[in-house]
Amino acid sequence: MTEKKGHEDPLQFAALVAHQLRSPVGAAASLLKTILGEYAGHLNSKQKDLVSRADRRIEEALDAVTRMLAIVRPETSIGDGKAMSEAAAVLRRVQQQAMEDARSRNIALCLDVWIEPAYVRIAESGFAEALNALVNNALKYTPENGKVRLTVASSGENESIYISVADSGIGVPDDQRDRVFEPFYRSASAQNTSLPGVGLGLAFVKAIVDAAGGRIWVQKSDLGGAEFSLVLSRVADDQIPSESEMSAQDRMKVVIIGGVAAGPKVASKVIRLQPETDVTIIERGEFLSYAGCGLPYYVSGIVKDQKELMSTPLGCVRDPVFFQNLKNVNVLNRTEALEIDRTAKRVRIRNNLSAKEVWIHYDKLMLATGATPIIPPLPGAHLKNIYTLHGVRDAEGVRTHLASRKARDVVIVGGGLIGVEMTEALVARGCRVTIVEALNQIMRTLDWEMAQLLELHMEANGVRVMTDTRVVSFAGSEFVEGVVTDKGTLPADMVILGVGVSPQVELARNAGLEIGPTQAIRVDDRMLTSDPDIYAAGDCVENIDIITGLPIYVPMGSTANKQGRIAAINICGGNDTFPGVLGTVVCKVFDYCAARTGLTEADARDAGFDVVTVLTGASDREHFMPNAKPLMLKLIVDSTTRRLLGVQAAGPGQGDKRIDVATTAITAGMTVDQIANLDLCYAPPYSLAMDNLITGANIAKNKLAGVFESITPMEVFSKMQNREDFVLLDVSSPQEYEETRLPGSVLIPSGTLRSRLSEIPKDRDIVTFCRLSIRGYEAAIILKAAGFTRVRVMDGGIMMWPYEKVHGMK
């Protein structure tokens, strides 16, 4: 009988025991997971803790069994001698898998890649498991706030690949460095800790490396702890599969630049359609797939933890670990794409932590580079406490500054969506807020009168709105202290820049891709750029207006997700198309809903449409319901085709519901005649018998038929300003008139109108109205039947009067 060396006899015996234990331990693990999942009944917190601890120990036992078997038969883990792995790619995946553990203990886990690609002769599964063991070992023995560094580089005369895992942990004593690779051996420094272990991890790694023909050793790290180094033979260039051979193996390589909205959507959908695809996301920021539209609510405190903005509905944080483990997507965050080489189909990237640059290849490239906030080129624009709110870091800065209670006076520059949504958050935190807008209205997505209703509502909530006001500079030495405008200087402890965003297209432009007239990337309806292997989606691309067919730039997270899904389908060989957008937006302004879809009146007239407009106000459900709230709508209709072109909503009522119906109707090319007969659901707690949108469509029909002659509130106000001689006839009730009325109006309640016709002159223009102008319309019918010819109804009534009103008794 051949004599066995050293530890081989006990090792073989341990392997035999491990083999026999695998099945019962695995069964125990399955049973524990069933109990832990509460499939066998509810567990209280103490029971769940105990079962969880038992489950972790069972997992450790299974891991030990697996490693023991691999130590005895390592050839099962390294492949058949023809298998190969790309070391840099495997190390990146290992890094991402360990990132959650590192982050939880504030350990810096960095990766230095000095050579890429770096193919080694070892199966990827065994190689990854060995590297995982080294990295987990380094993290295990590194204290909080420490550092672990991974390195891949060439060795010797470029014939070998050198890989190391260095840490700032407890280290390995000099006299024990050879023995740490023996099965069941633990160094004295490891035994002196309270950390569990059986001494199989490093033995497993050495068995894998030895079987692959490599070597491994340990030495003192320049970080202060241990550095485990290994060398593996490099695969010759002529033995590496070509891109065409890789494609023949159906392992397509997709590289995605941008990891916030469209990028992660593309990655997830590609993996669902073709799970074998090699997908890499390159994101220059730290955070992935976060809800940017939720940032104002994080600032206000409604959203308590920033992780909620980056989590799935089930609470899983969408970080690199999530994408690697669940999606099998490699994420390189804090990494910037610098250059696209379209001829060689590769991208030059730089790790922003290590400053190392490498090229990575692609079969299909996806650009989801997003947009960048516009910072006006004004003196003082880079003072501290001036924020753009274009990411989690900005929101964190604003929230931290608010928590210090040093931000009493806040100026928001720009009255767009960001500025308007931020007002409520800031007012809720006790700030005095001023919005400065260079145009004559806030919310340029709405027509003037609808935006004016919002402005009045914001001022009623303590927000000062300054339109037609230009910012000249920002005052202060280190921190901002004031905003200098053409109408004076405003005190400011903090400034939010909300003047808009511009598409991030430098990478695309430098690569020679076509840029559209909106200065965003031009794509076709399949989200394909001017390069047949490069797609783009999200805030970096221009869209097509569904109504006009013209290019427009409307950056929205909802659009980015839809476009990302379509791009992914086409990347995987499908043929899906994106029809365009209607510019549909909605935002919350205190208790008001402000929303729009389709064309505004101004846009429609600029596009050459002959339009009829409708202003209509009513409650959003039956008035006798206690939760009924006012809602104001504006409809824009093409007088020639009778098609609905656009709808806007404002008020505390459910405007989003009506806008969604309108979006569907506009997309389908419906006329007001069709909309007026839509079979919408009705119940008093939810809606009116004649829904607000249906009422608006009927008013439009009456206008088109010439039976409803109207005048807009703006035209009425102009007549007032010009001191024209006309009758502004309020047919509300006396009580309503006492509560709210228009200056210069005359009260004749509708119930007494027929008996008081003699009080109204027939030789003057007459404008009838009431709270909603329903009675105003009926009054106009009565007057016309009595021979009055110069009668018009004011659209929208008092509810939609966008100017100051008189409240209370004279």
Side-chain angles (χ1 to χ4, degrees), residues 374-394:
I374 297 173
I375 299 177
L378 299 173
H382 296 287
L383 288 171
K384 292 182 180 179
N385 296 343
I386 297 180
Y387 301 95
T388 61
L389 199 67
H390 192 71
V392 177
R393 289 296 185 199
D394 275 341

Side-chain angles (χ1 to χ4, degrees), residues 14 43 97 134 151 198 342 377 405 427 582 601 613 641 740:
L43 300 176
Q97 289 170 355
L134 285 177
T151 304
V198 293
R342 291 167 55 192
R405 302 193 176 185
V427 170
L582 289 173
E601 180 183 354
T613 64
T641 64
T740 307

Side-chain angles (χ1 to χ4, degrees), residues 325-383:
N325 293 345
L326 185 64
K327 307 288 187 180
N328 195 28
V329 171
N330 183 34
V331 176
L332 307 181
N333 61 335
R334 296 177 177 174
T335 303
E336 189 167 2
L338 303 175
E339 179 185 354
I340 300 171
D341 181 352
R342 291 167 55 192
T343 302
K345 297 179 70 171
R346 60 180 186 166
V347 178
R348 182 164 60 93
I349 63 174
R350 179 178 61 209
N351 184 299
N352 289 335
L353 294 178
S354 66
K356 301 299 187 299
E357 296 184 8
V358 295
W359 288 92
I360 62 171
H361 293 267
Y362 66 85
D363 294 311
K364 299 294 180 183
L365 179 64
M366 177 72 205
L367 299 181
T369 48
T372 185
I374 297 173
I375 299 177
L378 299 173
H382 296 287
L383 288 171

Side-chain angles (χ1 to χ4, degrees), residues 65-76:
V65 166
T66 301
R67 288 181 174 178
M68 179 59 64
L69 293 174
I71 292 170
V72 176
R73 292 187 291 274
E75 65 277 1
T76 61

